[in-house]
Amino acid sequence: MKILVCISHVPDTTSKISFSSDATAFNSSGLQFVVNPYDEIALAKAVEIAQSQNGEITVINVGESETEPTIRKALAIGADKAIRVNAKPKDGWFVANQIASHAKDNAYDLILTGRESIDYNGTQIAALVGELLGIPSVSLAKKLQIENGKAQIDREIENGVEKLEINLPLTVGTSEGVAEPKIPNIRNIMGARSKTIEVVEPIEVPELSSIKDYELPQPRESVTMIQADQVEELVNLLHSKSKVI
């Protein structure tokens, strides 16, 4: 079984985010970057499937040279091969086209992504890649099993769980619960350093969107404490200050 796992290079969740002086560009200076946590879940599941079905895992990342440490961590976790599309990821449409272009020529049985990246939270890649390849796609999968060339998938829906059975090939966006992220050991980390990362040039993609500018969310206001017996004051604040009633 051939498995492709799509990984993003994202700022660590503890990073302090800032933008350029004119707010038109993200400032990456001094930030720690990691494998997107949802993509780590996808990769962990790929490792489980590959071990049980004699599979081969390739990871693909759309990014410039600074993403290579992130790719090497994915190799240390359990990927066999790595592809880096040598381009700055402009948006989900651009990234999905680069992934689909590679996948078209390599006949993957299963393509896994995280449910979303933690920087832009677009939740687009799994569906877009599936559409571009003309294969089924499922997002927000909470459970995934592969048996006899079919995928059994559970995904959360409002007030319930949707159970699906779909023939491979297939694209799946994985969510929490599919697998536990794996911590690479020293031997695998050392081995990943010597593995080759194949670098390919991007295909041209029509630009459908662009970022005008960025802004940080408004800081949270301080908490107002109210005594349990001061119901009238609570109602007044909810009406005049919070404006929720």
Side-chain angles (χ1 to χ4, degrees):
M1 172 178 284
K2 292 181 65 176
I3 305 171
L4 180 67
V5 181
C6 311
I7 60 170
S8 297
H9 175 77
V10 299
D12 189 280
T13 53
T14 60
S15 300
K16 185 176 181 180
I17 302 302
S18 64
F19 306 107
S20 61
S21 58
D22 60 359
T24 60
F26 171 66
N27 181 13
S28 61
S29 177
L31 294 183
Q32 175 69 35
F33 282 80
V34 297
V35 179
N36 179 48
Y38 292 117
D39 299 341
E40 279 202 70
I41 294 172
L43 181 55
K45 188 62 188 180
V47 172
E48 290 179 9
I49 295 170
Q51 288 173 345
S52 65
Q53 305 209 22
N54 193 29
E56 180 184 73
I57 302 169
T58 300
V59 291
I60 186 168
N61 167 257
V62 179
E64 297 176 319
S65 59
E66 67 270 13
T67 71
E68 293 203 359
T70 293
I71 299 171
R72 293 208 179 275
K73 181 180 179 181
L75 287 166
I77 289 170
D80 301 293
K81 299 178 180 179
I83 309 289
R84 179 172 67 82
V85 181
N86 188 32
K88 184 176 180 179
K90 300 175 182 177
D91 56 21
W93 171 246
F94 179 84
V95 170
N97 272 272
Q98 306 306 323
I99 294 168
S101 176
H102 166 75
K104 281 177 183 176
D105 299 326
N106 288 276
Y108 291 102
D109 301 293
L110 182 64
I111 300 174
L112 298 179
T113 77
R115 61 177 290 177
E116 62 187 357
S117 62
I118 62 170
D119 48 3
Y120 288 96
N121 304 102
T123 322
Q124 300 177 53
I125 301 301
L128 286 172
V129 170
E131 179 66 20
L132 289 166
L133 293 174
I135 62 175
S137 66
V138 177
S139 295
L140 307 179
K142 302 289 286 187
K143 183 178 179 181
L144 170 64
Q145 299 295 330
I146 306 294
E147 294 180 7
N148 302 319
K150 294 183 178 181
Q152 283 81 39
I153 299 171
D154 289 1
R155 63 188 298 269
E156 282 189 356
I157 57 174
E158 189 172 356
N159 299 320
V161 175
E162 181 179 58
K163 293 183 176 291
L164 303 169
E165 183 176 271
I166 306 173
N167 290 329
L168 302 180
L170 171 70
T171 300
V172 181
T174 60
S175 191
E176 304 94 326
V178 167
E180 288 296 321
K182 299 183 182 297
I183 300 174
N185 58 39
I186 295 298
R187 180 180 178 182
N188 289 346
I189 292 171
M190 297 301 292
R193 292 181 179 179
S194 62
K195 289 186 177 180
T196 300
I197 298 174
E198 181 184 350
V199 180
V200 299
E201 293 305 312
I203 62 168
E204 291 189 13
V205 178
E207 187 174 287
L208 301 185
S209 66
S210 60
I211 296 172
K212 180 180 177 182
D213 55 36
Y214 295 89
E215 63 179 38
L216 293 170
Q218 292 297 319
R220 294 182 179 180
E221 296 182 6
S222 59
V223 175
T224 301
M225 304 299 292
I226 299 171
Q227 298 297 322
D229 59 351
Q230 295 178 336
V231 177
E232 287 189 14
E233 183 180 356
L234 172 61
V235 172
N236 180 56
L237 288 172
L238 290 173
H239 178 71
S240 61
K241 186 176 181 180
S242 301
K243 301 185 185 303
V244 296
I245 60 173

